[in-house]
Amino acid sequence: MPISLGDCVESKDRSAGSSRCWPTSATARDIVTQMSAASNALDQALFLLVASGLTWCVGHPGEAVAEGYSINDVQKLFMKLA
């Protein structure tokens, strides 16, 4: 698959790291804004991973099933994100 799990973990780590960067003077509005941005970044990374997997499954159906990722399995993963 074009997108690796490592890419998504790296993205998750970047978004989680932002929570450690808040100055002690941060307001609730600042924190909510940063948490929202981190959440959106993680959502985008997960959708990209699942979309990439679905694309790969469509292009390589035999290999995908052999590796335990049928199109139905990947569709279920996608629906978990919805």
Side-chain angles (χ1 to χ4, degrees):
M1 285 193 251
I3 302 296
S4 72
L5 183 57
D7 294 335
C8 287
V9 169
E10 183 180 306
S11 178
K12 180 196 85 54
D13 290 344
R14 276 195 310 265
S15 65
S18 68
S19 66
R20 293 186 288 268
C21 299
W22 295 321
T24 55
S25 63
T27 66
R29 180 176 292 145
D30 296 335
I31 293 170
V32 168
T33 299
Q34 288 184 9
M35 292 294 289
S36 177
S39 176
N40 288 340
L42 184 56
D43 287 347
Q44 288 176 0
L46 290 171
F47 275 113
L48 183 59
L49 176 66
V50 174
S52 178
L54 187 55
T55 301
W56 186 80
C57 287
V58 168
H60 306 88
E63 284 181 71
V65 170
E67 292 185 22
Y69 293 102
S70 70
I71 290 176
N72 288 339
D73 292 336
V74 179
Q75 285 175 336
K76 287 178 188 175
L77 290 173
F78 182 80
M79 292 308 295
K80 285 183 180 183
L81 295 175

